[in-house]
Amino acid sequence: MTGNKAVAYKEPGKVELIDIDYPSFELQDGPGVNPANVGRTVPHGVILKTVATNICGSDQHMVRGRTTAPPNLVLGHEITGEVVEVGPGVEFIKVGDICSVPFNIACGRCRNCKERKTGICLNVNPDRPGSAYGYVDMGGWVGGQANYVLVPYADWNLLKFPDKDQALEKIMDLTMLSDIFPTGFHGAVTAGVGVGSTVYVAGAGPVGLAAATSAHLLGAAVVIVGDLNADRLAQARSFGCETIDLAEGGPAEQIEQILGVPEVDCGVDAVGFEARGHGHDAKEAPATVLNSLMEVTAAGGALGIPGLYVTGDPGGVDEAAKKGALSLSLGTGWAKSLSFTTGQCPVMKYNRQLMMAILHDKVSIAKNVNAKAITLEDAPRGYAEFDAGAATKYVLNPNGYLS
């Protein structure tokens, strides 16, 4: 039997490379697997040999101990792979195809999937609508930071790249299609970004940089990125963004220095529930980003909120935050008639168009997020450096496809 190594969460601040079973076309019991999913057969699935799988800020929330993730949960929902086995119910995907895997697991059969709401599929997670690989409370589908991974409903979920050689040449860009590029794009689209827009993106991590890239692709006139991390702000400036240093204070005054007015047309939250306040000694204050976005977004505007928020946070700053209850200035949002869009990005709504933009050289997402390939064995170092604030998107290379 072919061996399979994977990156697993062990305890707060610690991940390890462990041996796991080679995937089968039946869900097995294991860390985080919902009992109702154990024994579920997957004749519609394929097994992928992983080409690239990325470390995500959402993974980092679990690794910090900020969720209820159990020990030995195999991580990884950003997956690109080559098909090595197909189940008997797979009709169109073939062995040898190289494909992007949307991080949302979707059946393609339920009402929500048919309405393109693939982030809240009704049939893949017994706990709640919506699922993802290698993530807490998402049904227990094994993560993709491994040599091999099972993908269910393959004909529906997989985005096949049209030319294998071309895909491998652009793989560092294409690997971003599984999550952060569509997620950033979704944030920009739902914030209403269009030709001539002024945009404020809170957060210069990979999703924030992907949102800024997307705002440029959508025709924004000015894209402003705010963060407390100087290196990440420098990365945003490297592809034409204006930046504001939140260590120097809140965004309104700094936005006014750039635009002449203290507001923007569109706001994007690319931070989520571990947000910090403003100033040199900023402490965690999870409602800060949402409240500041409501302050600086023009009346009648919209907020795209791809940043992750949770219903269970053991490390929350108070009892309310531990349950995902934040002190939002909703009155501000109501008074300004602001629109809000939250939740998982429905990746399949955007990934094909963004693939075409990559293949035809309309965007350089890997360069913009400073993508760097490392080995699977180096994953613990990648997690540690990312947690320390590295302005890098770490791409794991489990099987040697990446140069």
Side-chain angles (χ1 to χ4, degrees), residues 201-396:
V201 178
V207 170
L209 297 176
T213 299
S214 300
H216 283 143
L217 194 61
L218 289 163
V222 183
V223 180
I224 304 168
V225 179
D227 205 292
L228 294 157
N229 183 312
D231 291 338
R232 290 181 173 183
L233 290 174
Q235 185 62 32
R237 288 192 295 273
S238 75
F239 60 94
C241 299
E242 299 285 345
T243 60
I244 58 177
D245 184 355
L246 296 172
E248 301 300 324
E253 182 179 338
Q254 297 183 68
I255 288 171
E256 185 172 18
Q257 291 172 0
I258 295 168
L259 298 177
V261 292
E263 65 180 21
V264 292
D265 301 321
C266 314
V268 179
D269 172 5
V271 179
F273 74 102
E274 288 191 66
R276 292 161 65 190
H278 305 139
H280 289 287
D281 299 317
K283 301 293 191 297
E284 186 168 320
T288 298
V289 169
L290 291 171
N291 286 334
S292 64
L293 281 169
M294 286 189 280
E295 177 190 357
V296 302
T297 302
L303 274 59
I305 308 173
L308 175 68
Y309 290 87
V310 296
T311 56
D313 173 13
V317 293
D318 53 37
E319 290 304 312
K322 290 177 181 179
K323 297 181 288 187
L326 309 182
S327 297
L328 296 180
S329 180
L330 192 59
T332 301
W334 192 94
K336 296 176 74 173
S337 294
L338 299 175
S339 301
F340 301 74
T341 301
T342 66
Q344 287 189 36
C345 163
V347 171
M348 293 172 68
K349 190 173 182 179
Y350 309 108
N351 62 352
R352 183 172 295 278
Q353 302 97 301
L354 296 176
M355 175 187 75
M356 295 302 288
I358 290 169
L359 293 178
H360 294 279
D361 299 318
K362 299 302 181 185
V363 66
S364 300
I365 183 65
K367 176 176 177 289
N368 290 3
V369 300
N370 193 27
K372 178 182 179 182
I374 61 175
T375 65
L376 197 66
E377 290 75 14
D378 266 347
R381 176 178 63 85
Y383 271 97
E385 292 180 1
F386 187 44
D387 190 47
T392 305
K393 176 67 173 178
Y394 289 99
V395 178
L396 303 181

Side-chain angles (χ1 to χ4, degrees), residues 147-192:
N147 297 113
Y148 298 92
V149 64
L150 171 70
V151 174
Y153 303 103
D155 284 325
W156 168 252
N157 280 306
L158 291 179
L159 174 65
K160 176 186 171 182
F161 299 139
D163 182 89
K164 187 172 183 177
D165 291 336
Q166 182 189 31
L168 289 174
E169 287 177 6
K170 293 183 176 290
I171 198 65
M172 290 294 281
D173 292 286
L174 294 171
T175 189
M176 306 304 164
L177 292 173
S178 58
D179 182 356
I180 67 162
F181 197 8
T183 292
F185 195 82
H186 181 61
V189 167
T190 55

Side-chain angles (χ1 to χ4, degrees), residues 5-320:
K5 292 187 177 298
V7 180
Y9 167 72
K10 301 297 286 188
E11 61 186 35
K14 185 178 181 181
V15 300
E16 280 186 4
L17 197 64
I18 64 171
D19 291 303
I20 63 171
D21 291 336
Y22 183 82
S24 69
F25 293 103
E26 179 178 311
L27 280 186
Q28 308 297 316
D29 197 6
V33 178
N34 188 297
N37 263 352
V38 175
R40 183 172 179 166
T41 59
V42 190
H44 41 69
V46 303
I47 295 171
L48 296 182
K49 186 177 184 180
T50 306
V51 172
T53 177
N54 315 329
I55 296 174
C56 180
S58 300
D59 299 318
Q60 200 73 63
H61 292 305
M62 288 190 289
V63 173
R64 290 188 189 117
R66 296 299 297 269
T67 71
T68 55
N72 291 317
L73 180 76
V74 174
L75 301 167
H77 56 270
E78 299 189 11
I79 308 163
T80 307
E82 181 174 8
V83 178
V84 292
E85 291 186 47
V86 298
V90 177
E91 186 174 0
F92 303 110
I93 295 293
K94 306 298 182 187
V95 170
D97 290 343
I98 293 185
C99 306
S100 178
V101 184
F103 79 89
N104 326 105
I105 303 172
C107 71
R109 296 151 165 80
C110 71
R111 172 181 174 174
N112 285 350
C113 283
K114 290 177 180 180
E115 293 177 356
R116 302 184 77 191
K117 302 172 185 174
T118 54
I120 43 174
C121 173
L122 300 173
N123 288 332
V124 289
N125 182 1
D127 283 328
R128 65 184 72 172
S131 189
Y133 304 88
Y135 213 85
V136 60
D137 296 332
M138 288 292 183
W141 301 88
V142 177
Q145 290 178 10
N147 297 113
Y148 298 92
V149 64
L150 171 70
V151 174
Y153 303 103
D155 284 325
W156 168 252
N157 280 306
L158 291 179
L159 174 65
K160 176 186 171 182
F161 299 139
D163 182 89
K164 187 172 183 177
D165 291 336
Q166 182 189 31
L168 289 174
E169 287 177 6
K170 293 183 176 290
I171 198 65
M172 290 294 281
D173 292 286
L174 294 171
T175 189
M176 306 304 164
L177 292 173
S178 58
D179 182 356
I180 67 162
F181 197 8
T183 292
F185 195 82
H186 181 61
V189 167
T190 55
V193 177
V195 174
S197 298
T198 58
V199 185
Y200 173 52
V201 178
V207 170
L209 297 176
T213 299
S214 300
H216 283 143
L217 194 61
L218 289 163
V222 183
V223 180
I224 304 168
V225 179
D227 205 292
L228 294 157
N229 183 312
D231 291 338
R232 290 181 173 183
L233 290 174
Q235 185 62 32
R237 288 192 295 273
S238 75
F239 60 94
C241 299
E242 299 285 345
T243 60
I244 58 177
D245 184 355
L246 296 172
E248 301 300 324
E253 182 179 338
Q254 297 183 68
I255 288 171
E256 185 172 18
Q257 291 172 0
I258 295 168
L259 298 177
V261 292
E263 65 180 21
V264 292
D265 301 321
C266 314
V268 179
D269 172 5
V271 179
F273 74 102
E274 288 191 66
R276 292 161 65 190
H278 305 139
H280 289 287
D281 299 317
K283 301 293 191 297
E284 186 168 320
T288 298
V289 169
L290 291 171
N291 286 334
S292 64
L293 281 169
M294 286 189 280
E295 177 190 357
V296 302
T297 302
L303 274 59
I305 308 173
L308 175 68
Y309 290 87
V310 296
T311 56
D313 173 13
V317 293
D318 53 37
E319 290 304 312

